[in-house]
Amino acid sequence: MAAPAGSFCPACGGKLKPDSRYCSGCGRAVVPAGGFPWRFRPWMVAPAVFLAVLLIVLPGFLYVWAGLPSTSNLSTARLPLSTRIYDRTGTILLAEIHQGSERRHIVRLNQVAPAMRQATVAVEDRTFYQHGGLNLLRTGQAGLEDLLHLRFNQGGSTITQQLVKNVYLSGDRSVLRKLDEAILAVEIEHQYSKAQILEAYLNRVFYGNRSYGVEAAAQTYFGKPASQLSLAEASFLAGLPQAPTELDPFTNPNGAKLRQRVVLAAMVKAHDISSAQAKSIAAQPLALQKPSTADDVKAPGFVHWVAAQLEKTYGPDLLENGGLTVVTSLDWNLQSIAERQVRAKVMALQGQHVTDGALVAIDPKTGAVLAMVGSAGANVPGGEYNMAVIPRQPGSAFKMFTYTAAIESGKFTMGSWVLDAPLHIQLSDGSSYTPNNYDGSYHGWQPLPHALGNSYNIPAVKVEMGTGIDRVVDVARRMGVETLNQPVTAYQPSLTLGGYEVPLIDMAAGASTLAAQGTYRHPQGILKIVAQNGATLYRFDPGKGRPALTPQVSFIMSDMLSNDNNRALAFGRNSDLVIPGHHVAAKTGTTNDFRDNLTVGFTPNLAVAVWVGNADHTPMQHVSGIVGAAPIFHGFMTEALNPQPDSWYSVPDGLHVVNMNGYTAYLLPGTEQVSQTQQPPPPSCDEDCSGGNGGSSEGRHKKHG
């Protein structure tokens, strides 16, 4: 078989002679004796590809393009459907999340500060002015990332694609939707100028707190028009659209500030600013305008907390535009009681420089958040922050975890005694730690329940060190403290005195774990989510929870924290920790400098944590837990429990009951010897030979179960 006319040698490029198998240039045999098999005939490849495009790809492309919406109405297309958030009954509307006209103002691009335009382009689409709607490199990288991780996150979208998605397309994450987006983005780029596209984007994008568009955002957060935004303010706002509810500056100021650093880094990379400018701007504090106090948002702290969860799960598009119906866990009656108690008691303490308070109430049986008060009101200093979720130092309320770990470890028992005397601890870095009691005194040998109830610091540190800081951290994490995420070696003995920040909601979760007899349930704010078409997207199932402690350990802690005799020396009898007619466990906490003040407590059906202080961390004037947070705790619990009969726990099987020096102690199996060895020395006959509090350690044992 000879080569066809016009063929070329693949070795030297020379033209083959017609009707010959050999190259005229190099003399090589080019064509096999039997001729080319049909699949190796290169002159047929191009026609085959063209035919495939003509018959398959082009009709498919035209079919998709024909079904797409018109892009001639970029400035007016598609208004969003609002998401409605209700209480647990589904009848009380807490809030609507939507593109409300009251917070959406259209401006021309020349009315937006140049810094805002630069920051937006730098962080969202650095090649915006070079591409024609698609950044194929970014899209390819994002597609490869999605393929490797078997998910479709739609990363790599240009500003034009984002605008198309917001204006013309649904929020589903399919490949066909992505193709629609790409086609429309190219079409938009052909119909409109870059200035028109950027203007439409800046007027559409959501910045959180019901603020749609850059003008509304500038007014909401800084009380000024978008044309007057500084470079610091612009770089701050440009970072919010990535996750506007989760990065809400009023509830997550640290997260919003960290996102600003990302924007500044992008501006440096785009050569809009220098590294020195970025560093200087990142260090600048920003004065935020207080959020609106509109009456159409009930329980604002709780609503923001729920909205952040919705956004994280479903994305901002569905949250803002999807028409969802969300039934939450909030009990409006308890929420009303909580708001009234927090505000009234905080106002009563204004003379002692107390400006704010917060409360979280949880149903231990399900983990449902029944009430969440983020502040004493929008008009108080710091009222724009949700103090129910912002980490603060819990003070001695953290001892709840320390003593739980001690009992669980078996290294201490309810019958143990601890010496309250001067203590100096040598730390690994060569420094020393010397804890002091709140009253500045020492109290000698104390039974473990009294050391806990009276909140003596030195015995708590001794118990912590004897148990092991690693065990305390582990128990706190199991009980719901999520902020203790450093290696255990990073924590010092001040941990037990509340030296590390913990959100109030985590403290409530810890109390809820004890209330549920050792079962941890993550705080839950959403019961049901229904789509605009009526389909149920989510329904809460409380399940069985996660076992964190044994019922025996939980019962011992509940007993110690509920006995008013255990705290009488420090707080007196019948303090605000006592709720008439009800068994209630409670623990206070106050930081040494009076910057934070807590009361945490529970019954079998309700767990509550209360905080008072100042959002700006300025100290209160000698306001302890019993004076600050305890009155709120007392008022809320009294009203909440009033219609209910008293309930408490029965003694779990396996515990030993011991009469230990005049008080009843419950012991875990196998810890009787520990209890016997941790007794105070007998007094000398010059003091007392009758065996009073410091006398005989013999006890009478009785086993339940």
Side-chain angles (χ1 to χ4, degrees):
M1 175 73 71
S7 299
F8 293 88
C9 174
C12 69
K15 191 172 182 179
L16 302 184
K17 293 181 179 180
D19 302 322
S20 172
R21 297 178 52 227
Y22 300 92
C23 172
S24 61
C26 62
R28 296 183 182 181
V30 176
V31 181
F36 283 112
W38 68 270
R39 61 178 178 277
F40 291 130
R41 293 175 183 174
W43 55 87
M44 296 186 64
V45 173
V49 171
F50 176 79
L51 187 62
V53 171
L54 187 66
L55 297 179
I56 301 174
V57 179
L58 184 60
F61 179 88
L62 293 174
Y63 176 82
V64 172
W65 179 79
L68 294 177
S70 170
T71 57
S72 61
N73 58 343
L74 182 63
S75 61
T76 60
R78 187 172 165 223
L79 293 177
L81 297 171
S82 65
T83 289
R84 295 192 165 204
I85 299 179
Y86 292 90
D87 74 330
R88 68 187 301 109
T89 68
T91 59
I92 296 177
L93 180 64
L94 302 178
E96 285 191 63
I97 300 176
H98 60 93
Q99 271 185 323
S101 59
E102 73 279 8
R103 289 195 182 175
R104 190 176 193 280
H105 310 283
I106 304 297
V107 294
R108 301 297 299 270
L109 190 61
N110 59 12
Q111 295 175 289
V112 179
M116 185 66 198
R117 290 177 252 162
Q118 290 176 331
T120 299
V121 171
V123 76
E124 294 291 344
D125 186 4
R126 191 159 57 93
T127 61
F128 172 70
Y129 291 105
Q130 286 77 50
H131 64 64
L134 305 176
N135 185 328
L136 298 181
L137 178 60
R138 285 182 64 193
T139 302
Q141 291 173 338
L144 180 60
E145 182 78 5
D146 293 342
L147 182 62
L148 291 175
H149 292 87
L150 299 179
R151 63 174 183 263
F152 193 74
N153 284 334
Q154 302 185 68
S157 294
T158 64
I159 283 177
T160 311
Q161 287 175 278
Q162 293 179 51
L163 179 62
V164 164
K165 180 178 63 177
N166 290 336
V167 175
Y168 297 108
L169 301 176
S170 66
D172 74 275
R173 299 186 177 188
S174 66
V175 175
L176 285 179
R177 211 282 295 149
K178 196 68 177 177
L179 177 61
D180 293 345
E181 177 184 296
I183 295 171
L184 288 175
V186 173
E187 188 172 343
I188 286 286
E189 289 276 351
H190 280 84
Q191 284 187 275
Y192 300 93
S193 68
K194 290 290 186 179
Q196 289 175 307
I197 294 171
L198 184 58
E199 177 181 297
Y201 175 83
L202 288 170
N203 281 315
R204 285 266 181 178
V205 68
F206 180 55
Y207 291 89
N209 284 286
R210 298 187 298 157
S211 298
Y212 290 82
V214 64
E215 180 71 9
Q219 294 288 353
T220 295
Y221 295 112
F222 299 114
K224 60 172 63 174
S227 60
Q228 297 178 13
L229 289 171
S230 67
L231 179 55
E233 293 164 341
S235 60
F236 186 84
L237 288 184
L240 300 183
Q242 183 201 46
T245 308
E246 186 175 358
L247 295 176
D248 185 345
F250 300 133
T251 59
N252 186 12
N254 293 334
K257 221 17 189 164
L258 287 174
R259 176 62 178 166
Q260 182 193 33
R261 293 178 182 271
V262 175
V263 177
L264 291 170
M267 295 184 75
V268 171
K269 190 173 183 180
H271 306 292
D272 294 324
I273 59 174
S274 67
S275 297
Q277 282 180 292
K279 186 176 181 180
S280 174
I281 292 167
Q284 291 181 22
L286 291 173
L288 295 178
Q289 179 88 354
K290 284 191 175 182
S292 170
T293 57
D295 293 333
D296 58 345
V297 177
K298 298 179 173 67
F302 176 80
V303 167
H304 277 94
W305 179 65
V306 165
Q309 296 176 48
L310 292 169
E311 178 183 84
K312 188 173 183 178
T313 303
Y314 297 102
D317 289 342
L318 193 59
L319 172 63
E320 301 144 23
N321 308 320
L324 301 177
T325 298
V326 182
V327 178
T328 70
S329 60
L330 194 82
D331 184 310
W332 182 244
N333 177 53
L334 293 181
Q335 177 71 17
S336 301
I337 295 172
E339 290 179 358
R340 185 171 62 252
Q341 289 292 335
V342 169
R343 184 163 184 83
K345 300 301 191 297
V346 167
M347 295 301 105
L349 291 169
Q350 281 185 315
Q352 293 170 270
H353 191 51
V354 177
T355 61
D356 209 356
L359 182 150
V360 177
I362 296 177
D363 179 356
K365 292 181 172 59
T366 64
V369 175
L370 303 175
M372 177 185 284
V373 179
S375 75
N379 60 338
V380 306
E384 65 268 31
Y385 301 110
N386 183 0
M387 301 307 297
V389 298
I390 294 178
R392 299 287 290 234
Q393 289 190 354
S396 291
F398 193 89
K399 293 172 185 173
M400 170 177 67
F401 303 111
T402 300
Y403 282 82
T404 300
I407 295 296
E408 182 188 68
S409 71
K411 294 184 177 182
F412 292 88
T413 75
M414 191 175 170
S416 299
W417 288 59
V418 185
L419 178 61
D420 182 11
L423 176 65
H424 303 280
I425 300 174
Q426 197 71 25
L427 302 178
S428 58
D429 61 2
S431 62
S432 62
Y433 176 63
T434 304
N436 295 295
N437 289 320
Y438 174 79
D439 60 4
S441 301
Y442 305 104
H443 308 90
W445 285 97
Q446 293 292 320
L448 200 77
H450 290 191
L452 171 62
N454 292 304
S455 202
Y456 296 144
N457 290 341
I458 294 173
V461 173
K462 286 186 174 182
V463 169
E464 174 191 44
M465 300 304 290
T467 303
I469 293 178
D470 56 339
R471 285 179 178 267
V472 175
V473 171
D474 176 56
V475 165
R477 288 171 175 170
R478 279 188 271 139
M479 292 175 66
V481 178
E482 298 183 343
T483 51
L484 297 181
N485 47 24
Q486 301 179 54
V488 292
T489 54
Y491 297 101
Q492 300 292 336
S494 61
L495 173 69
T496 190
L497 305 185
Y500 297 84
E501 294 183 337
V502 177
L504 190 68
I505 192 169
D506 286 8
M507 296 300 295
S512 178
T513 300
L514 290 175
Q517 297 182 288
T519 298
Y520 168 74
R521 292 180 174 87
H522 192 275
Q524 176 68 32
I526 301 172
L527 301 183
K528 186 171 68 171
I529 302 172
V530 179
Q532 191 270 335
N533 62 4
T536 299
L537 301 180
Y538 170 80
R539 188 183 298 276
F540 173 55
D541 178 9
K544 296 181 179 180
R546 185 187 74 206
L549 307 167
T550 65
Q552 290 78 12
V553 170
S554 300
F555 177 83
I556 291 172
M557 286 301 299
S558 301
D559 186 80
M560 289 196 293
L561 291 170
S562 64
N563 192 330
D564 195 40
N565 292 328
N566 293 341
R567 50 183 176 243
L569 289 176
F571 303 115
R573 297 188 183 277
N574 296 315
S575 67
D576 277 336
L577 302 180
V578 176
I579 310 300
H582 294 274
H583 283 78
V584 176
K587 181 73 190 75
T588 63
T590 305
T591 54
N592 289 336
D593 50 13
F594 297 103
R595 297 179 193 274
D596 296 284
N597 186 280
L598 281 78
T599 296
V600 181
F602 59 90
T603 71
N605 302 309
L606 187 63
V608 178
V610 181
W611 169 87
V612 296
N614 301 300
D616 62 359
H617 289 274
T618 55
M620 301 171 283
Q621 296 176 4
H622 302 289
V623 178
S624 65
I626 200 66
V627 175
I632 299 174
F633 176 83
H634 181 87
F636 176 79
M637 280 295 209
T638 298
E639 286 196 62
L641 299 177
N642 183 45
Q644 303 177 18
D646 184 30
S647 64
W648 198 242
Y649 310 96
S650 57
V651 181
D653 292 345
L655 286 181
H656 295 261
V657 183
V658 179
N659 187 327
M660 189 67 67
N661 291 330
Y663 72 92
T664 300
Y666 296 93
L667 306 181
L668 295 176
T671 62
E672 295 87 348
Q673 186 61 35
V674 174
S675 178
Q676 295 292 337
T677 58
Q678 293 174 343
Q679 297 298 304
S684 66
C685 288
D686 291 338
E687 298 174 7
D688 180 13
C689 291
S690 62
N693 280 345
S696 170
S697 63
E698 293 300 323
R700 296 188 301 275
H701 294 251
K702 177 184 176 183
K703 184 175 181 180
H704 279 255

